[in-house]
Amino acid sequence: MSDYVPTYDPLVATGPGHDQNYAPTYWAATAGAAPGDDGAIKHDMDADVVVIGSGFTGLATALFLAREHGIKAVVLEANRIAWGCTSRNGGQGQNASGRLYRSQWIARFGMDVALRLDREIRDGFDTFKDLVAGIDCDAQGGGHLFVAHRKKKLAFLENEARIMRDIFGYDARMLSREEVRRDYCADEEAEGALHESEGISVHPLKLAYGYLRLARASGARVHPGSPVTDWQTRAGIHYLRTPGGIVKARIVAVATGAYTAPGLTPYLTNRYFPVLSNCLVTRPLTRAELGATHFLTHEAITDTRTLRFYYRLLPDNRLQIGSRSAIRGADAPRAAHLRVLTDGLARKFPPLAGIDVDYSWWGWVDVSHDMVPRIVAANDIQSVFYALGYGGNGVSFSAQAGRRMAERIAGKASPTFSLPIYASPLPYPSQGRWAAPFRRLGQAALYGWYHLQDEYV
Ligand SMILES: Cc1cc2nc3c(=O)[nH]c(=O)nc-3n(C[C@H](O)[C@H](O)[C@H](O)COP(=O)(O)OP(=O)(O)OC[C@H]3O[C@@H](n4cnc5c(N)ncnc54)[C@H](O)[C@@H]3O)c2cc1C
């Protein structure tokens, strides 16, 4: 196994590496022994369907292909199982997909499509819930607390709560500053919050190991340490080169998230934008600290910053918090980025200022240029598929993405596939495809502007 490379950058590297160890996450340290897998590819082989990537998306696709369609896929993973985002996230499973709020669905797609999209995302949340129920993954239910970090954000949350209640029929409700402190936690910044009862947090690597077990038990084969380094297509057959041999396939499903190398397939070139997110986990809080911060909840919490914080109390009473990070991989290890999290934690929970940080890591999030994920066939002959662009909201939705990608691979038709997440490929930036490589130049300025808006304007 090779060492983890912390400066990895998908826009610079030619691929995600080969047989790399996990990032130094709390999840990798506490997931227990990895279940069995099928080892690295060691010789040339034929497959009907190959899935590239063994994160939640790739494993869920393989699982549903086998379980619901009798198709036994071969999963190729460059590094260890679930090495990408899936072993690095905050574990917050929300009733959402992509980065748009329900009010934005209505504005962008109209009421009819927004209502249908909501039904599909609810169905997806049920898919996730069903899988979580059968896997020992430290699941913490109860919902999601969306905290107004400034007074001016209350109107936005009130509008979102009203839309969720009146149009989509959820029991979303607003909480006052006092109610948040009394019933949830003493987040000093919280001016109030929207509470939604859908929301399950998980230990993501335990969940991924569960997906792996289920997929293999249903007949899928999963090969870590097998990066696809070259992809040729001749006479309708895909030739996927890995260090141990060439895998020939009739159909390829791409589930490589933000770890997709620009040269992997032209179907994805310039169609997504990789963005870094940081995470830390503190030592367990003492009884006195739990009292001082009045932590009564283990629910998922996010705040209303555009560069939002996401945080929660883990089952062993450590606090996990995450937010934005560096722009380039080479810059990610700089202490300033960890300080964004420790400063944020201290502002929210002053009694925890300076608390020991036991784990700190980062990972790349796949952002779609229009903030909407896509699960589509990439070519007319339906031999290449992809599911990508969750924008940091893929813990739960990846289960449905895998289920729907499996249906599409199996040739199933459904009216659901006319929804925006299934009906068109990931778009180029609105300025045109030429603009994609330059997006990073504007990202620093954009982060500065968001910070100004989040904190001062
Ligand atoms: C720090 C952080 C916090 C997050 N927090 C949350 C959260 O709280 N809630 C939430 O909903 N979402 C969160 N996310 C996003 C979430 O983790 C992902 O959306 C989700 O895990 C789905 O990932 P995936 O399977 O699509 O891709 P990944 O898990 O990234 O898997 C892609 C895999 O493809 C492999 N790969 C790439 N190229 C090749 C190749 N050429 N050959 C073979 N294999 C290849 C990679 O090695 C990688 O393992 C977070 C992400 C990060 C980074």
Side-chain angles (χ1 to χ4, degrees):
M1 190 184 315
S2 57
D3 288 343
Y4 167 66
V5 179
T7 51
Y8 167 79
D9 187 328
L11 288 192
V12 176
T14 51
H18 180 194
D19 207 20
Q20 267 186 60
N21 201 353
Y22 289 120
T25 67
Y26 171 72
W27 315 121
T30 57
D37 56 51
D38 294 282
I41 296 288
K42 294 216 170 61
H43 46 76
D44 293 356
M45 61 185 279
D46 289 355
D48 188 22
V49 176
V50 165
V51 178
I52 309 179
S54 75
F56 287 140
T57 305
L59 292 173
T61 304
L63 166 60
F64 286 110
L65 275 172
R67 191 192 266 179
E68 296 188 350
H69 309 288
I71 297 172
K72 295 175 178 170
V74 168
V75 180
L76 301 177
E77 165 56 52
N79 301 298
R80 295 187 68 179
I81 298 301
W83 174 87
C85 266
T86 294
S87 57
R88 311 179 194 206
N89 55 67
Q92 298 196 1
Q94 297 184 5
N95 179 28
S97 88
R99 292 197 73 85
L100 298 184
Y101 301 111
R102 278 170 173 72
S103 60
Q104 292 171 306
W105 292 356
I106 297 170
R108 192 177 296 184
F109 307 125
M111 187 61 85
D112 177 50
V113 171
L115 286 166
R116 287 177 54 224
L117 190 53
D118 177 65
R119 280 201 291 279
E120 172 65 1
I121 302 309
R122 265 180 214 244
D123 186 54
F125 196 65
D126 285 343
T127 303
F128 171 69
K129 268 200 301 204
D130 288 348
L131 287 170
V132 167
I135 296 172
D136 178 8
C137 61
D138 306 340
Q140 297 174 301
H144 167 226
L145 197 63
F146 193 3
V147 160
H149 76 287
R150 295 173 68 189
K151 276 207 175 81
K152 71 166 191 175
K153 291 291 181 180
L154 283 170
F156 156 71
L157 285 187
E158 274 155 12
N159 184 50
E160 218 55 43
R162 186 186 55 75
I163 286 174
M164 289 190 74
R165 253 190 338 262
D166 298 352
I167 296 177
F168 296 103
Y170 291 103
D171 63 351
R173 62 200 165 92
M174 286 301 293
L175 304 171
S176 67
R177 176 176 169 84
E178 291 67 36
E179 286 169 319
V180 172
R181 295 172 70 82
R182 188 191 66 204
D183 299 335
Y184 293 89
C185 62
D187 177 343
E188 275 305 314
E189 292 185 323
E191 295 291 351
L194 182 166
H195 187 268
E196 43 181 337
S197 53
E198 296 74 21
I200 300 176
S201 298
V202 294
H203 185 305
L205 193 51
K206 286 187 184 176
L207 183 64
Y209 284 168
Y211 285 12
L212 170 66
R213 281 192 193 92
L214 292 173
R216 289 189 72 233
S218 306
R221 278 170 293 159
V222 183
H223 299 276
S226 304
V228 174
T229 54
D230 183 56
W231 177 347
Q232 306 279 334
T233 307
R234 293 190 293 275
I237 300 294
H238 302 285
Y239 295 79
L240 304 170
R241 181 180 294 280
T242 74
I246 292 175
V247 183
K248 276 200 293 183
R250 187 176 63 86
I251 289 178
V252 179
V254 184
T256 45
Y259 292 84
T260 313
L264 179 68
T265 164
Y267 294 122
L268 283 167
T269 306
N270 296 335
R271 289 187 186 267
Y272 80 99
F273 191 59
V275 171
L276 266 176
S277 184
N278 250 4
C279 238
L280 72 75
V281 168
T282 67
R283 63 157 168 72
L285 271 55
T286 62
R287 190 183 288 235
E289 286 163 343
L290 286 168
T293 51
H294 210 250
F295 248 109
L296 298 173
T297 186
H298 286 276
E299 287 183 21
I301 311 176
T302 55
D303 73 18
T304 41
R305 290 176 167 85
T306 304
L307 302 172
R308 68 180 172 185
F309 285 101
Y310 49 96
Y311 42 110
R312 67 186 171 106
L313 193 64
L314 299 176
D316 60 0
N317 288 335
R318 297 169 185 270
L319 200 72
Q320 174 272 319
I321 185 166
S323 188
R324 71 154 175 105
S325 177
I327 289 173
R328 296 176 308 117
D331 190 41
R334 227 163 34 92
H337 303 298
L338 175 58
R339 217 160 38 239
V340 169
L341 299 189
T342 50
D343 287 354
L345 180 63
R347 265 202 316 275
K348 288 179 176 299
F349 305 106
L352 302 184
I355 188 171
D356 293 339
V357 172
D358 282 354
Y359 301 90
S360 152
W361 69 89
W362 46 88
W364 292 91
V365 167
D366 47 324
V367 177
S368 141
H369 291 301
D370 67 355
M371 302 295 153
V372 178
R374 297 297 197 289
I375 298 91
V376 294
N379 55 358
D380 291 341
I381 58 165
Q382 312 255 319
S383 76
V384 178
F385 297 80
Y386 63 77
L388 211 116
Y390 310 148
N393 231 339
V395 167
S396 67
F397 181 67
S398 49
Q400 186 78 343
R403 185 174 152 218
R404 294 301 189 205
M405 186 145 75
E407 282 172 3
R408 305 203 90 157
I409 291 168
K412 300 279 187 271
S414 163
T416 308
F417 294 148
S418 65
L419 286 170
I421 46 180
Y422 302 118
S424 60
L426 280 167
Y428 294 112
S430 52
Q431 301 86 344
R433 76 177 67 179
W434 60 269
F438 302 104
R439 280 201 66 166
R440 260 193 192 167
L441 295 178
Q443 197 183 353
L446 215 55
Y447 274 13
W449 170 236
Y450 290 153
H451 179 68
L452 214 65
Q453 277 189 319
D454 283 343
E455 310 300 338
Y456 307 108
V457 180

